[in-house]
Amino acid sequence: MLELIRQPWPWYFSGFAISLIMVMLLYFGKSFGFSSNLRTICAISGAGHKVKFFDFNWRKEIWNLLFLVGSIIGGYIVSQWLSSPYPLQLSASTINDLKGLGIHVDGGLNPSQLFGKDFATSPKGFFILLTGGALVGFGSRYAGGCTSGHAISGLSNLQVPSLVAVIGFFIGGLVMTHFLFPLIF
C-alpha cells in the first residue's frame, strides 16, 4: 500500500479533490485563500487595536488556520515518510526549456541551484528571495488575495476581479520567465 501512495498520482485526482473541497466551501459560505491567514494571525496577535484592517472577528476564520496547519503537517508527513526515493521524472521538453534558462535539473522537486541552502545564503540569493517575498506580499495585498484564493476560490465563485487577477498572475509569470529571469541569472 505504501508503494502505491508513493507513486505519482494522476492529475485528475487533484482536480477532483480541489473541486470537492470547493463545493463544500461554497455550501458552507466560505472562501478559500492562504494569504488571508496572515491577516487572521495579525488579528489574533492584537494588531486590530492599532490598525483597522486587522479589526475583525477572527474566530470565524479559525477553519482556514486549521487548513493551513493541516497543509504544513501533511507536507511534513509526505516529505518524511511518503516521498519517493527516485528522482523527479520530467518530460524531455521541460528539461530542455529549463536548460535553456540555465537551470540544471538535479532530480529534486525544486532545483537546488535556485532553492538550495547555498543559493539562499549567498548575498544575491538572499536579496532575490527578500525582494520576491516583498513583491508577493505586496501583490497579494494589492490584488485582494493570493493565487490560490483568486484562481481556485474566486474563479469558482465566478468573480470577475479574480479572473482579472489570474490573468495578471499569468502575464506576470510569463514576463518573469521569458524576460526578467534571464537578466537575473
Side-chain angles (χ1 to χ4, degrees), residues 7-31:
Q7 299 301 314
W9 292 6
W11 60 269
Y12 51 82
F13 182 83
S14 299
F16 176 75
I18 290 170
S19 62
L20 181 65
I21 290 169
M22 285 312 307
V23 167
M24 289 190 319
L25 289 174
L26 288 171
Y27 178 77
F28 290 108
K30 303 291 184 185
S31 179

Side-chain angles (χ1 to χ4, degrees), residues 6-184:
R6 287 184 175 166
Q7 299 301 314
W9 292 6
W11 60 269
Y12 51 82
F13 182 83
S14 299
F16 176 75
I18 290 170
S19 62
L20 181 65
I21 290 169
M22 285 312 307
V23 167
M24 289 190 319
L25 289 174
L26 288 171
Y27 178 77
F28 290 108
K30 303 291 184 185
S31 179
F32 174 76
F34 268 96
S35 63
S36 59
N37 283 314
L38 296 174
R39 182 178 183 219
T40 303
I41 291 169
C42 289
I44 290 171
S45 301
H49 299 299
K50 297 187 186 235
V51 179
K52 185 165 177 46
F53 177 71
F54 299 117
D55 187 21
F56 69 98
N57 185 3
W58 56 265
R59 287 174 181 83
K60 289 184 178 180
E61 300 301 318
I62 289 294
W63 70 272
N64 207 6
L65 282 177
L66 292 174
F67 190 84
L68 173 69
V69 171
S71 297
I72 293 169
I73 292 170
Y76 178 78
I77 289 169
V78 167
S79 70
Q80 294 299 311
W81 297 292
L82 299 177
S83 61
S84 174
Y86 306 109
L88 184 66
Q89 300 296 313
L90 293 175
S91 70
S93 62
T94 300
I95 292 172
N96 288 333
D97 288 345
L98 291 171
K99 282 182 184 176
L101 293 170
I103 300 172
H104 172 69
V105 177
D106 54 9
L109 186 58
N110 296 312
S112 59
Q113 78 184 72
L114 297 178
F115 297 98
K117 188 176 178 181
D118 292 337
F119 177 75
T121 56
S122 71
K124 179 181 178 180
F126 181 78
F127 178 74
I128 288 172
L129 292 172
L130 181 66
T131 303
L135 288 172
V136 167
F138 171 78
S140 64
R141 176 65 186 110
Y142 186 71
C146 60
T147 53
S148 62
H150 282 298
I152 299 171
S153 190
L155 291 180
S156 296
N157 290 326
L158 303 176
Q159 296 178 5
V160 174
S162 289
L163 178 62
V164 172
V166 169
I167 291 170
F169 296 150
F170 276 95
I171 291 171
L174 290 170
V175 168
M176 177 62 196
T177 300
H178 295 289
F179 300 111
L180 299 177
F181 192 86
L183 295 175
I184 295 171

